[in-house]
Amino acid sequence: MSRYRCIHSNDPLYSRERRIAERAVHRASILTKRAVTLTPSYWASSPVSPCPLRKLSNGEISKSDASPVTAADFAAQALLISAIHGAFPNDSFIGEEDADSLRQDPLLAIQVFDFVRQYANVKFYPADGQGVYPDDEEELYTPSSIEEMFHIIDLGGRGKGGRTGRFWALDPIDGTATFVKGQQYAVSLALIEDGREVVGVLGCPNLKLPEDGRPVEETNIDEDGVGLLLSAVKGQGAWIRGMGWEGSKLRIPQRIQDLGRKPGQRIHGAEDTPVKLSELHFIDSSLSTATLSHKVREIATACGVLPSPDAPTTGAASFTELYSSHVRYIALILGGRNAIQVRFPRHSNTSPANRKKASMCIWDHAGAQLIYTESRGGKGKVTDLYGKEIDFGTGRRLSENWGILTCDESVHSKILEMVGGMLESEVSS
C-alpha cells in the first residue's frame, strides 16, 4: 500500500495528519523512554557506545535552554520528520537540531542511526476492536541510511517556516535536563498552516495522569506505560489517552473536556463562574534562564495568592514548578480553570535587539497552545503580554510577540492590566 494514499472522503479535516502525527509521537516517545530505561551495562556492551544520553563531545552544541543535546534528541527528530515527510512530502519543517554534529562525530552518527532503526517498525494492536490506528493504516517511513537520516534531521534544523503554506514544528525532547533525570519531558509535533496551528500532538512519556485533582509534578512517573498522549485539531476539540509499549493494545482516546477527576465532575468545572484571582494556581519554572520568575511572583502577590513577592513558592499549594515548556502546558490543560502561566522575558521590549533576544522558539509552544484552547472549548486564552495573539508565521522564533499569558478568559484582561501597570512603572522609573 502506498504511503501517500488519501484519507476517506468523509473523514473530518486533518484526520490523516492527526493520525500520523499521533503515531509518530507515540513511536518517538517509546524511543526516548527506552533510552532512559536501558541499563548502563547494555550500552557498555554495545559495539556502538556510549549510551544515547551522553552530551555531545564538542560542548558548543546545546539547546536554547542550555540543556544538553543527546543522541536520543537526534534519533527522535529523525523518527518524527521521516514519518511526516513520508506521508506529506510537500510539507516543510522547523526542528531544534540539525545534523552537523553527527557529521563531525561518525561514532555518534552510527549510534543514532542504530537507535532509529530499532524503532522503525513499532506495531500496536487495536484496542478492544476499536483500533485507534486502523488495521490498514499506512506504515510510517524511516530513513534507510545514515546519509538519508542526516538529510531528514536537516529538514527540521534548517527549516525556515513562514506565513504561507504548511510546515510542522517539532521538539523531539522538550526538557532534556529533566529527561536525563527520569523526570517529566515532552515530545511535540504541530502542523502550522498559513501561520496558525491546525494540528497539535504532545507525548509526555513519563507522566501518569494525576489523581484527585493533584497537579502535574516532575516525580509523578508512569512506571508501567509510556505516559500520556494529547492531541487537538483546530475547531474539533482535544483528546487524551495513555500510551503503551510496542506490541501493546492501544487505548481509546477521551475528549479532555469530558475527562473527570471524580465521577460526574468535569475537569474544567463550571464554565460560567468567573475564576477568582486569589484562587489562581501558577505554573512556572524558576530554573528558566529566559524568563523572570520574580515578575510572576509580583503578579501572584497582586492577585492575593502570595503574601509578598519574596514569599517562597517551593511546595506552595498555589505554585507548580515544571521545567519543560510543553509539560507546563499539559499542567495548564489538566489543571483546571484556575491554572495560569505568565512568562516574562528576561530581555525588555525596548529595542529591536532586545525584542530579538526576548523572542521564544516556535517549537517550545506550537501545538501545546492549540491543545490548551481546544480543551477549554474557547474559554482559555493564549496571548503575549500585550494581549496580541501568538503569531506562528514569523519563522523559527516568535519575533512578533513578547512574553506569554495563558489563562481562563475570565481573568485574562485583569492579568494583562496588572502586567501593563508593571511595564509602565518600569518605563517611568
Side-chain angles (χ1 to χ4, degrees), residues 14 23 42 45 82-83 89 96 108 111 121 129 139 165 198 219 276 283 297 304 330-331 388 397:
Y14 302 112
R23 292 172 61 211
Y42 172 91
S45 63
S82 61
E96 193 161 5
L108 180 61
Q111 180 196 6
N121 297 306
E139 184 175 331
V198 293
T219 55
K276 296 180 180 179
I283 314 295
R297 293 194 296 272
I330 292 174
K388 293 172 57 180
R397 303 188 72 88

Side-chain angles (χ1 to χ4, degrees), residues 42-181:
Y42 172 91
W43 295 106
S45 63
S46 171
V48 245
S49 61
C51 85
L53 302 184
R54 77 167 172 97
K55 296 182 184 180
L56 294 179
S57 55
N58 59 10
E60 65 191 22
I61 304 296
S62 65
K63 291 196 170 192
S64 58
D65 60 4
S67 61
V69 180
T70 70
D73 286 273
F74 290 113
Q77 180 158 318
L79 285 183
L80 291 170
I81 294 178
S82 61
I84 299 298
H85 186 58
F88 308 102
N90 295 323
D91 291 355
S92 55
F93 300 87
I94 290 182
E96 193 161 5
E97 321 299 344
D98 61 36
D100 288 348
S101 297
L102 298 182
R103 292 185 177 94
Q104 298 168 16
D105 190 338
L107 183 61
L108 180 61
I110 293 171
Q111 180 196 6
V112 171
F113 182 66
D114 180 63
F115 212 40
V116 166
R117 295 303 298 173
Q118 287 183 48
Y119 295 92
N121 297 306
V122 171
K123 301 292 184 183
F124 303 98
Y125 296 105
D128 301 323
Q130 305 178 55
V132 180
Y133 311 139
D135 291 338
D136 66 345
E137 189 62 81
E138 57 203 290
E139 184 175 331
L140 298 183
Y141 187 69
T142 308
S144 58
S145 68
I146 290 180
E147 283 301 321
E148 185 183 16
M149 181 184 72
F150 290 164
H151 169 69
I152 290 289
I153 293 172
D154 281 339
L155 288 177
R158 297 176 182 175
K160 304 295 184 183
R163 296 199 178 281
T164 59
R166 291 170 36 130
F167 69 89
W168 296 78
L170 61 130
D171 194 340
I173 298 178
D174 178 56
T176 310
T178 40
F179 163 68
V180 297
K181 296 177 182 178

